[in-house]
Amino acid sequence: MTATNNELLGLAFMAFFIITLSSTARYYFKFFCFVVLSVVCAVGPVPLMLLRPRDYRNALLPAYLCTKFGKALGASFEVRGKENVNRQHGGVVLMNHQSALDLVVLAYLWPIVGRATVVAKREVLYMFPFGLASWLWGTLFIDRRNQSSAKTAINKESKAINEKQAKILFFPEGTRGEGDNLLPFKKGSFHVAIESQGIVQPVVISKYHFLNSKAKIFNRGHNIIHILPEISCAGMTKEDIPALMDRVHDLMQAEYEALSEESLAINNLGKSL
């Protein structure tokens, strides 16, 4: 074995011990792996995606791979409420937002909800090669700084719901929250639901007890995704948006608390075994 090989082996052992002993090092190492693997899973199948551009099915293989490497990193999920999904029509799917790891949640939901798509800021489109992959699986890009563009986006999303039976997945909080309470919801997704006269389907993900960005902790953890029954928006107008937002927020908050308590108990039991 050459000196160079010995040095590389020594560095590998050193990195292993640092990651094992330091929760901070483990946190950054896992997130580095998460970012790299996310890009690889999204971009690798691009040649196949080119055969059917703008088709939601292009994301099925990346989604499958994403669930597998999520488990490898220690983030396992169980999905409940699949019986509440009606794939025969479109709608607005709302999820609570906690971390970049929510990408794994999207990967679990994508093959379940039907013709899924997501809304992303226009800047993502120019993040080559990830932007290309996102475009190929049908992401709707909007300019959030332009109100006229936002209105056009709402019309575009409503049309996708009604004409393509698409399920558009939103994080109504608009930003990540790691606390015990969901953040206030923004109106955009509810405008889309009312405009389409379709349905809102709340999806609640238990708190990531295994993950803490402030304390730099990224351990292993079992999480629960619960797809709740649909809420019809038929007959509603813009004046109904505040009441609808409050109703959905209260419903998701109650479920978030229940699921988080259950997942904490499951994870604590796993540690004691």
Side-chain angles (χ1 to χ4, degrees), residues 91-96 117-119 157 168-172 188-189 192:
V92 170
V93 178
L94 303 179
M95 303 162 289
N96 54 301
T117 189
V118 293
V119 177
E157 292 154 21
I168 303 181
L169 285 64
F170 288 93
F171 295 110
S189 55
V192 174

Side-chain angles (χ1 to χ4, degrees), residues 159-218:
K159 188 175 181 181
I161 288 173
N162 291 320
E163 295 186 3
K164 298 182 179 180
Q165 291 77 52
K167 294 284 178 60
I168 303 181
L169 285 64
F170 288 93
F171 295 110
E173 295 165 285
T175 189
R176 304 168 191 172
E178 296 184 15
D180 295 326
N181 296 307
L182 303 183
L183 299 175
F185 287 173
K186 297 185 181 299
K187 293 182 178 180
S189 55
F190 294 92
H191 275 290
V192 174
I194 297 293
E195 183 73 20
S196 68
Q197 290 290 288
I199 60 96
V200 167
Q201 184 141 49
V203 175
V204 183
I205 305 97
S206 60
K207 184 176 181 179
Y208 294 162
H209 297 290
F210 68 101
L211 185 68
N212 188 314
S213 61
K214 293 181 180 178
K216 299 296 181 287
I217 294 172
F218 191 158

Side-chain angles (χ1 to χ4, degrees), residues 83-133:
E83 68 278 3
N84 292 322
V85 175
N86 186 338
R87 297 169 64 97
Q88 302 307 310
H89 60 238
V92 170
V93 178
L94 303 179
M95 303 162 289
N96 54 301
H97 191 15
Q98 301 180 72
S99 162
L101 283 178
D102 291 337
L103 179 63
V104 181
V105 175
L106 290 174
Y108 276 91
L109 291 175
W110 204 270
I112 295 173
V113 300
R115 294 179 177 273
T117 189
V118 293
V119 177
K121 57 186 179 181
R122 183 169 295 276
E123 288 81 358
V124 173
L125 179 60
Y126 306 110
M127 295 169 56
F128 187 83
F130 183 77
L132 172 61

